[in-house]
Amino acid sequence: MSILNAIFQAIVQGLTEFLPVSSSGHLSLVQHFTGVSGESGLFFSIMLHLGTLIAVFIAFWPTIKRLIVEFFLMLGDIFRGRFKLKELNPYRRMILLLIVSLIPLIPAYLLLNDFYAGLAADNSILAEGICFLITAALLFLADRRMDGHKTAKNMRYADAVAIGIAQAIAPLPGVSRSGSTISTGLMCGLKKEYAVKFSFIMGIPAVLAANLVELGDAVKEGTQGIGIGTLIIGVVVSAVVGFLAIKMVQWLLKENKFKIFAYYTLILGAIVIIVALIEMALGQNIAAFFGWI
């Protein structure tokens, strides 16, 4: 893999991981129209995800650091019998809320993982188009909500479950993880800044778990000639671009311009559905029909 190719993939990963446009949906479209399988370069993909995780840690380090400290202090209180659920400070409440938000991932992985993979790997992009429209609908609904008042102090556990369910359906190709979770948080009445923070920090264990599941296959596949320098460049670029993408999301939401992504996914979803219907009529991939692949 060339350094330019690594940089390009890192930029795409850093942008689509955090912008509410669905990285899986765009990857599925690229594979569909180029005929390139996503099975190669799995180890490199995991390293790029590591870069985006570094971006989250940098962007929200003060909060993450405090959450880590409070987690171990809370464990100490539990073992000493001093833990009181009604007397939690905001950081300890946020820890419990994050844990609750991850619960929907368990049944989703056990029951729907093969279904998600099948949709992404089928020969049609109709599902992707519909899912882009779902993302657009969520973003439009969230844009209509005024800035809420909930933070870790008064956010309900039911709110965490709702955001967790949004994350659990995010593997659908075309449904944005950040877009669906932030939008759900806003619809639950969370403050804009806190909705973004909760969404991205909640994604850390989810992304780690997903990559650990794939790590075995990645080790078997190997690095396929990817040099250590290329790997480092990929991680650094994905981290830098990911950090900038997080800041862009925060700014656009603060300036009430988040709905530009709603228009983008709406238009993209409509185009993808039209192309999918044309392909059904032709009986083949439109790129193959024109001799592009």
Side-chain angles (χ1 to χ4, degrees):
M1 178 183 295
S2 69
I3 293 179
L4 286 178
N5 187 11
I7 292 175
F8 174 75
Q9 291 190 44
I11 291 173
V12 172
Q13 171 64 30
L15 285 175
T16 59
E17 182 70 22
F18 299 121
L19 298 184
V21 296
S22 178
S23 58
S24 62
H26 282 75
L27 175 61
S28 184
L29 293 182
V30 170
Q31 293 176 2
H32 180 79
F33 290 119
T34 61
V36 177
S37 170
E39 294 297 320
S40 61
L42 182 58
F43 182 78
F44 186 68
S45 175
I46 291 176
M47 294 303 293
L48 293 185
H49 277 93
L50 174 62
T52 54
L53 284 179
I54 292 173
V56 177
F57 273 89
I58 294 174
F60 301 106
W61 176 241
T63 298
I64 293 174
K65 178 181 178 181
R66 183 67 184 273
L67 290 174
I68 294 173
V69 172
E70 289 294 340
F71 175 76
F72 287 105
L73 290 176
M74 187 167 62
L75 285 180
D77 287 344
I78 291 174
F79 286 122
R80 289 193 296 267
R82 299 177 181 177
F83 178 79
K84 295 182 180 180
L85 189 61
K86 295 183 179 180
E87 298 180 3
L88 299 178
N89 63 40
Y91 289 98
R92 294 192 181 190
R93 283 204 83 242
M94 187 174 181
I95 291 171
L96 295 184
L97 289 163
L98 288 167
I99 293 173
V100 169
S101 72
L102 295 175
I103 294 176
L105 286 176
I106 299 173
Y109 175 77
L110 295 175
L111 300 176
L112 301 174
N113 190 52
D114 291 339
F115 173 70
Y116 291 154
L119 282 180
D122 66 10
N123 294 324
S124 173
I125 54 173
L126 181 61
E128 282 82 347
I130 295 173
C131 289
F132 278 124
L133 294 185
I134 292 174
T135 295
L138 288 171
L139 293 173
F140 275 121
L141 288 172
D143 183 69
R144 296 176 65 88
R145 289 296 303 266
M146 299 294 291
D147 194 11
H149 65 280
K150 293 181 182 178
T151 61
K153 294 180 180 179
N154 53 356
M155 178 181 173
R156 301 176 303 165
Y157 290 102
D159 299 330
V161 172
I163 299 173
I165 292 174
Q167 178 166 251
I169 67 171
L172 286 169
V175 174
S176 165
R177 196 207 71 82
S178 63
S180 60
T181 54
I182 293 174
S183 295
T184 302
L186 294 175
M187 288 186 281
C188 288
L190 270 61
K191 289 184 66 66
K192 292 178 179 178
E193 180 183 353
Y194 183 70
V196 174
K197 182 184 298 183
F198 190 89
S199 169
F200 287 141
I201 294 178
M202 178 181 68
I204 293 175
V207 172
L208 280 176
N211 282 280
L212 284 175
V213 169
E214 295 180 335
L215 187 59
D217 292 335
V219 171
K220 292 179 183 178
E221 178 187 288
T223 60
Q224 297 186 339
I226 303 174
I228 184 66
T230 303
L231 283 174
I232 293 174
I233 290 173
V235 172
V236 171
V237 172
S238 65
V240 172
V241 175
F243 177 81
L244 295 176
I246 291 173
K247 293 301 180 182
M248 182 186 297
V249 168
Q250 290 176 317
W251 179 78
L252 288 171
L253 196 57
K254 182 180 179 181
E255 298 296 322
N256 296 317
K257 297 180 180 180
F258 205 53
K259 62 182 176 183
I260 63 173
F261 296 114
Y263 289 119
Y264 170 77
T265 50
L266 175 63
I267 295 171
L268 179 61
I271 293 174
V272 170
I273 289 175
I274 292 172
V275 172
L277 294 176
I278 293 174
E279 288 184 343
M280 289 181 183
L282 293 174
Q284 63 176 315
N285 187 310
I286 196 171
F289 178 80
F290 286 106
W292 298 337
I293 58 175

